[in-house]
Amino acid sequence: MTFTASWLTKDLDLTSTFGTIRTRTLTRGDVLPADDSGTETALVVLSGSMESRGITLGSGDGLYGPDELTVTSGNACVLVINSRHRVDSTPAVRWRYAPPNRSTDGILADTGGFTDMGVRWLATSGTVGSSKLVVATSVFTPSGEHGAHRHPHADEFFLVTEGGGHHLSPQGAISMDVGDLVLVPAGEWHGYRTAGNTATTSIYGYLGAGSLKQAGYELEG
């Protein structure tokens, strides 16, 4: 398990079995070039305002596929997710952030293991045609938690964007505040619990799979 300091204080560069997770802090007028590695990529604006081909993207908005972003005002931070899967060059697909609600879909709704948690899938094989990465957002109410579970076929990243709580790992509970990111290897048991009366919103996802079904989902016990 890899745990990092907050992206609010420094840029992050993490490497997993199935790809990389990075954050980049930029100022007005700066350009984040389109990724030219030939690997599958997704971008999420974490803060500030950025522009892609005349379309303004704010916090939570993102792109699947290579495209450049320009900071339009003040400072901005972007999350860059790369799988090791090589893809043919295709036009970028944009998504607009919409807050998740308390209903979930797919295998989570069928399997359970969570309390007062909502999910919205942003980039998956079903929404944008991804092969080896997933981007989603989740919200936990102040009483919310996700019990110990694992994904046998994909690594998971989990970045707190509002609120805070505890990442549940085999080594014990790890405190997480806004900006903290955890990277969980495939097959490792993990979970999340909100702290006190604090709700949590996150950007999270998988490297090595294009959907939760492909990543696999097993509850402990």
Side-chain angles (χ1 to χ4, degrees):
M1 183 269 293
T2 302
F3 183 76
T4 79
S6 171
W7 61 262
L8 296 174
T9 57
K10 66 175 182 179
D11 283 340
L12 306 180
D13 285 276
L14 300 178
T15 299
S16 89
T17 302
F18 299 104
T20 61
I21 306 289
R22 298 175 289 144
T23 61
R24 290 294 178 264
T25 301
L26 307 166
T27 59
R28 182 175 181 176
D30 286 348
V31 175
L32 183 72
D35 185 87
D36 61 358
S37 66
T39 59
E40 195 168 35
T41 182
L43 307 171
V44 184
V45 178
L46 297 177
S47 64
S49 179
M50 308 185 80
E51 184 178 276
S52 169
R53 302 190 186 188
I55 297 176
T56 299
L57 303 177
S59 180
D61 293 338
L63 296 167
Y64 168 74
D67 211 351
E68 71 175 32
L69 289 172
T70 303
V71 182
T72 54
S73 62
N75 296 326
C77 186
V78 61
L79 178 68
V80 183
I81 305 149
N82 277 99
S83 77
R84 299 192 187 283
H85 180 65
R86 300 194 70 82
V87 294
D88 295 332
S89 179
T90 57
V93 179
R94 300 174 182 85
W95 71 75
R96 291 288 190 178
Y97 174 78
N101 52 46
R102 289 178 60 183
S103 65
T104 59
D105 59 354
I107 197 169
L108 278 177
D110 297 332
T111 308
F114 54 88
T115 303
D116 292 338
M117 169 189 169
V119 171
R120 187 174 298 277
W121 304 106
L122 302 174
T124 69
S125 56
T127 61
V128 300
S130 61
S131 296
K132 296 296 181 180
L133 64 80
V134 168
V135 182
T137 182
S138 64
V139 61
F140 296 80
T141 70
S143 60
E145 70 175 282
H146 197 165
H149 62 283
R150 64 181 178 181
H151 310 288
H153 310 301
D155 298 336
E156 179 176 337
F157 62 91
F158 184 91
L159 173 64
V160 175
T161 55
E162 294 181 32
H166 293 88
H167 170 74
L168 309 178
S169 78
Q171 292 77 37
I174 300 171
S175 179
M176 295 191 74
D177 296 315
V178 172
D180 289 337
L181 184 149
V182 65
L183 182 61
V184 183
E188 182 174 289
W189 296 106
H190 63 284
Y192 184 81
R193 181 174 60 238
T194 52
N197 295 320
T198 303
T200 297
T201 301
S202 78
I203 295 290
Y204 79 101
Y206 311 112
L207 284 166
S211 68
L212 178 56
K213 184 176 181 179
Q214 293 174 18
Y217 181 74
E218 299 176 6
L219 287 171
E220 189 174 42

